[in-house]
Each structure stands twice: as C-alpha cells, then as structure tokens.
Amino acid sequence: MFGRGSDDTKLWQQTLQALVPETDYPERMNALLAMVGELADVPACYLYLLDENQREFYLEHSWRKDDHAEAMLMASEDIEQGAGGMMQTPPLNVQRNRELEADQLLPTPVGPLYSVPLFLETEAGPAPILVGLLQIGPYVDRAVSRKTRQELAEMRFPLALTVQQAHQQEDLRQKLAVLTASSEVGRKLLGSALDLERFVKLLLDLALNATKTEAGFVAIVDAASGYLTIRAQANLPPAFVEQLDLSPDTGLFDWSLGAEGGGLLLRDFEFIQRQGARSILAVPLFDNDEPLGVFALLYFKERAKLLADENVLTLLGGFAQQIKLVIHNARLFESFTAQYLETVKGLAQSLDARSPYTQDHHAKVTAVCMAMARAMDLPPDELEAIHTACQVHDVGMAGIVEVEGGFQADFEHPTIGASLIEALPLHPMVRGTVATHHEWYDGWGFPQGLKGEEIPIGGRILAMAEFIVEMTTGNPFREPWAADKLIEELEQRHGTQFDPQVTDIALDLIRQQKLHLIQEQIKS
C-alpha cells in the first residue's frame, strides 16, 4: 500500500498496472478503483470523466466491495426509520463547477463521498488539465483520515494519467471496432448489390407477387459469349428451361422492335403450345441499341390470366428498369475489377523484375501450383481462384520496407497482399490463398500460425509451389537444388511444413518430371 514512505517508482508501477494490454477496459478500471478502495479502506469508489463539452462529469466506472453492500444504502434518518431500504446509486452526471476542483466531502444519494479532482499536468502550459473526479466512501460514521487525504493527493497525477491513457485506448479500440464492422458490412452490401443472380431473383419474386403471376424468368446476355442465359426463374417446367431458345435471330422472341422501345414479338408459337403455356408477357432489356436481356411472366393453368393489362405492364416495366440498372452497375464493377486486378498483377510482375533471382517468379509459381491443383482434381471454380491467387501472391512485398543490410521483415506481406484484393468480388479462395501461403501445416508458419485444415487448400498448395520454385531457382547464397535434394527435403517436411497430401502430389510430379517450367533445374 502507498504510505508516506512509499517512493514515486512504486506508486507509478502499481498505478500503471491498470494499462496491462491483456485485460479489457472494464477490468483495467476495476483494478484501478479496487486499488484505491483497498488503500482508503472504503466500500465503494466512483470514477467520473469530463465530457467533450467540458461542462459535466459522467459516471464512467464504479467499484464496490462485495462484503460492504449494505454500506451503499443511503445514509439518512429515513433509512434508519425504515422509510428507505432501497439500494441507492450515485448520480450518472454531475454538473461541473469551480467547487469540484478541490478535495472535499460531498453529500450524494449513496452517502457522503470524498471527492478528489484528477488533474493532468502538461508541459504545454502552467494550468493543469482536469480529467475527471474520483469519489470514494461513503463516510457515514467516520471522517476521512489525514493519511488517506495525503495518499490520494500523491496518487492524483498517476491516476489522472492512467485513466486518460486507458480511456483513450478504449476509445480508439471502439472506433476501430466500428470502422471494422462498417467496412465488413459495406463489403457484404457491396457484394450483395453486385450479386446479379441474387438481385435478379429478388426482383423476379417481387414481380410475381405484385402481378399475381404463376411463373417467370429473367434471361441476361452473357458479356463473354453474347448469348442469352436464364439467370433467375420461378415455377418453370424443367423441359421449358432446357429447350428454351432465346437467340435474337431464331429464338422464342422477335427482337426487331425492342431496340426502338417496343416490346418483343412471340415468334415460336409451337414451343409455347408444346410447353403448355397459356399466357406470356415479355419485356426486352436494352441499353441504347444493345440487348441486355428479357424479363418474362407466364401462366400455365387452363384458365390463364391475361397479362397484357396496363397495371401489369407498368409493374413489369418498373422491375425491368431495376434489372437494367443492376446489370449496368455490375458490368461497370466487373470492368473495374478486371482493370484493378491487372494492375495488381502488373505490380507483382514488377516486383519479380527487381532481381535476376526472382525473374518470372509469379509465372513459375503459378505453373507449378496449377499442375498440383489439377492433379488433385479440384473443381473448376477453385482452380480459377487458385490461378488468380498465384499470379498476385507476393504483391504484398510492395508494402515491405528494407531495413539494415537489405533484410526485409516480410512477415506481413501475405496479409498486405490479401488486403489489396479483399474488396473485389472474387472467389473467397483467392484472398484465402494469398493470406495463408506462408502458413505451415504444423502451425509454425506466419502470419497467423494456422495449422492443418485451418489453412485453405489453396494456401497449402501455393506454399508448396513457391517452395519448389525458390529452392530450384537458387540465389546469391545458395545453388539451385537438384531433384534428389528437393525430394529429400520434401520427404523430411512431409506433415510438418507441408500438407501430406500436397507433398505426395508434388513428389509424384517431380519424379515424373511434369513441372515443365523448371524441368531443367530439377532433373536428376
């Protein structure tokens, strides 16, 4: 405990223990007030902080001794006479005034509390800064001892500094949490807004409900092939979907009037009759003269509802406009994504060009990685995602600064690289592969120390591919490894640094000399 004989070092050490990073903010404040409570031998301590307007104090934290809960009853004659008996609480807010800037005993709803203003001395000016108030007690049947007053006076500055630092840390943590949450929500909203299938399906369902229509579909022109494909449908017979021809020249609809603001003309009456459709209404989706798609509603029941009434046309036209807008925005973002991804790939290639030992590093790693990924029979979408990740996997090195001797503290480059592409609407495996390609199967890798199946399969394959390329390329300090040396090392790292399954695939490819880009280096 602090006494007159205590030195400043001990005082600061005990007070600053509240800033231990392993504890959260409430625990820090509770430890700080508990220390004061034990020092002063009081059942409760209350910490008030000054608000941003500097006009009033608000109750930030309170501490109470469990075995002195009864002391928190209001000390008044009413309670002694049985008129009270309720647990009282201190005021949540206290108006600032000059009187509070001095040590004093104050009447409060919980009884007399000894109030100590917390001042923070600074070099900026002679006047100390008022941070908050520390109120302890209640002092019902006794006075505040001279020793307690002295010790609290000695603690004033350390307490003020500790409280301010802890509060600033918590404020920054909360702001960071809000920004992180906002960023995540924004990213998800962005992804949803650009998820064409989800958005179109939503509009189709709304249109069916609004028009009381039985079935419908939305077909959109594929930007790559130029063909119309159904992107959302509801209640259509399977045969209808399989046999539907939407080509502008020979398909179900005649598009000749659509580009001029008119509707679509039904061309293939026989198809409609064969499929049992009784009524159909279709609206073309055009961007100037370019066909984007078609929005169609259908009835298959015997007593089909006539769809060509004005209200249905108006509703369908409104939904069509919404779909045109989302198609337009999706195409814009797809274009932006493609261009941005190309700049990231270009940056990765420029990093390769910095040294003859890293020349074409990303291209070589991509070739080796894809050879292993195909040998593992991964689905096409995962193969494409891994291919993209390989092309940019070390781009995070652009954010690494060389330190003394040319050493690069590159432990964060997977995280930096992943952050450069995380906002793009790419397959989740792309970011996951980039972020984890330096993790070890046994958990000894970086940056997160993941292990086993915690590491995405793309990260496990890429880790192996990069190791093979680097070891067979060599550098100023090491000659390239031959095949026998590489095989020996991979066998030793089987199940430790590398995934056993991935290692077996790599060993098989090396022995068969199928890693063609670096075949000459790894021949035995």
Side-chain angles (χ1 to χ4, degrees):
M1 293 304 172
F2 303 131
R4 294 179 182 178
S6 301
D7 56 31
D8 289 344
T9 301
K10 184 178 180 181
L11 175 67
W12 278 95
Q13 286 178 343
Q14 290 188 272
T15 306
L16 291 175
Q17 283 179 353
L19 295 179
V20 175
E22 286 77 14
T23 58
D24 60 20
Y25 181 66
E27 289 176 327
R28 296 179 185 183
M29 292 296 95
N30 207 58
L32 195 65
L33 295 185
M35 180 187 68
V36 175
E38 292 173 3
L39 165 70
D41 190 23
V42 291
C45 297
Y46 304 101
L47 174 66
Y48 288 85
L49 297 182
L50 201 56
D51 67 6
E52 294 181 358
N53 297 322
Q54 306 286 301
R55 295 178 180 176
E56 67 177 12
F57 300 94
Y58 61 91
L59 182 61
E60 176 71 2
H61 197 83
S62 61
W63 170 87
R64 302 174 183 177
K65 275 189 179 179
D66 294 336
D67 59 345
H68 284 82
E70 70 277 5
M72 302 313 300
L73 296 177
M74 184 170 63
S76 69
E77 294 181 358
D78 288 340
I79 289 183
E80 294 175 1
Q81 296 171 0
M86 292 180 57
M87 179 70 73
Q88 299 298 312
T89 60
L92 299 179
N93 300 88
V94 177
Q95 291 297 315
R96 181 180 183 179
N97 58 63
R98 298 283 297 183
E99 294 179 357
L100 291 174
E101 297 183 14
D103 298 1
Q104 59 182 308
L105 194 64
L106 296 175
T108 74
V110 297
L113 297 179
Y114 185 62
S115 179
V116 179
L118 300 179
F119 287 105
L120 188 63
E121 299 175 4
T122 66
E123 298 179 358
I129 299 174
L130 182 60
V131 175
L133 297 175
L134 175 65
Q135 297 187 348
I136 66 173
Y139 288 90
V140 180
D141 299 322
R142 61 186 177 118
V144 184
S145 69
R146 182 178 178 182
K147 178 182 177 183
T148 298
R149 293 173 185 266
Q150 180 64 32
E151 289 174 331
L152 289 175
E154 293 175 0
M155 293 178 64
R156 190 190 313 274
F157 177 59
L159 281 173
L161 181 61
T162 304
V163 167
Q164 184 194 54
Q165 292 297 316
H167 183 67
Q168 288 179 348
Q169 290 176 7
E170 176 64 8
D171 187 55
L172 288 174
R173 188 199 66 78
Q174 291 182 0
K175 288 180 179 178
L176 179 61
V178 170
L179 289 174
T180 302
S182 299
S183 175
E184 181 66 13
V185 170
R187 185 182 65 81
K188 291 182 178 180
L189 288 175
L190 180 62
S192 296
L194 297 170
D195 187 340
L196 199 57
E197 276 75 12
R198 184 187 303 177
F199 192 88
V200 169
K201 182 63 168 64
L202 172 63
L203 288 177
L204 175 60
D205 291 341
L206 291 174
L208 294 176
N209 290 332
T211 60
K212 306 302 181 183
T213 308
E214 179 185 355
F217 68 87
V218 178
I220 297 174
V221 175
D222 181 74
S225 66
Y227 292 107
L228 274 165
T229 57
I230 292 181
R231 304 294 284 270
Q233 64 93 10
N235 305 322
L236 291 177
F240 186 99
V241 178
E242 294 171 3
Q243 301 173 25
L244 179 62
D245 179 5
L246 292 172
S247 59
D249 297 328
T250 61
L252 180 63
F253 302 111
D254 181 352
W255 291 69
S256 58
L257 298 178
E260 301 175 1
L264 297 177
L265 297 178
L266 186 62
R267 175 190 287 143
D268 194 346
F269 289 96
E270 293 183 0
F271 173 79
I272 291 297
Q273 290 178 347
R274 288 197 310 270
Q275 299 299 327
R278 303 292 178 174
S279 178
I280 182 170
L281 175 63
V283 175
L285 308 175
F286 271 87
D287 184 7
N288 295 324
D289 294 336
E290 179 189 2
L292 299 179
V294 58
F295 195 168
L297 302 180
L298 299 95
Y299 260 105
F300 290 89
K301 296 178 180 178
E302 287 294 332
R303 294 184 177 181
K305 175 182 178 181
L306 294 177
L307 294 173
D309 65 70
E310 185 175 350
N311 291 333
V312 173
L313 288 171
T314 300
L315 285 170
L316 193 57
F319 287 118
Q321 289 297 322
Q322 292 289 326
I323 293 177
K324 286 171 59 177
L325 179 62
V326 77
I327 292 173
H328 178 72
N329 290 338
R331 288 187 173 183
L332 283 177
F333 198 75
E334 286 173 2
S335 176
F336 164 77
T337 299
Q339 294 178 39
Y340 179 83
L341 196 55
E342 287 303 313
T343 64
V344 175
K345 292 178 182 178
L347 179 58
Q349 293 170 6
S350 68
L351 292 171
D352 290 350
R354 294 184 302 177
S355 165
Y357 302 98
T358 59
Q359 191 72 35
D360 297 325
H361 172 78
H362 280 82
K364 292 178 180 179
V365 171
T366 300
V368 174
C369 193
M370 295 311 295
M372 290 190 292
R374 293 190 186 98
M376 297 180 70
D377 294 325
L378 296 181
D381 61 330
E382 294 187 5
L383 289 175
E384 182 179 355
I386 293 174
H387 184 269
T388 300
C390 290
Q391 292 179 306
V392 300
H393 69 274
D394 272 346
V395 72
M397 294 294 292
I400 303 300
V401 179
E402 288 192 357
V403 294
E404 186 176 355
F407 174 75
Q408 291 184 322
D410 63 350
F411 297 106
E412 293 300 326
H413 84 266
T415 303
I416 297 173
S419 69
L420 289 174
I421 58 174
E422 68 177 343
L424 301 180
L426 302 173
H427 193 293
M429 184 176 281
V430 178
R431 184 189 182 283
T433 299
V434 173
T436 61
H437 74 278
H438 277 291
E439 303 288 353
W440 283 29
Y441 193 76
D442 61 2
W444 281 92
F446 65 87
Q448 300 180 67
L450 303 178
K451 63 181 179 180
E453 299 297 319
E454 295 174 350
I455 309 169
I457 185 62
R460 285 176 267 156
I461 297 173
L462 178 52
M464 173 64 75
E466 186 167 52
F467 179 81
I468 291 174
V469 170
E470 289 183 349
M471 295 302 104
T472 56
T473 299
N475 57 47
F477 311 102
R478 176 186 47 76
E479 292 295 322
W481 287 358
D484 55 351
K485 172 64 172 176
L486 183 60
I487 290 172
E488 178 184 354
E489 286 291 332
L490 291 184
E491 288 176 342
Q492 291 181 0
R493 299 166 192 249
H494 186 284
T496 55
Q497 182 174 353
F498 300 117
D499 179 337
Q501 182 185 9
V502 174
T503 307
D504 291 339
I505 292 291
L507 288 170
D508 184 58
L509 291 173
I510 293 170
R511 290 178 176 128
Q512 297 183 44
Q513 298 185 353
K514 290 185 177 180
L515 302 180
H516 62 281
L517 267 181
I518 54 173
Q519 184 172 336
E520 294 301 320
Q521 290 99 318
I522 64 175
K523 281 184 178 179
S524 55

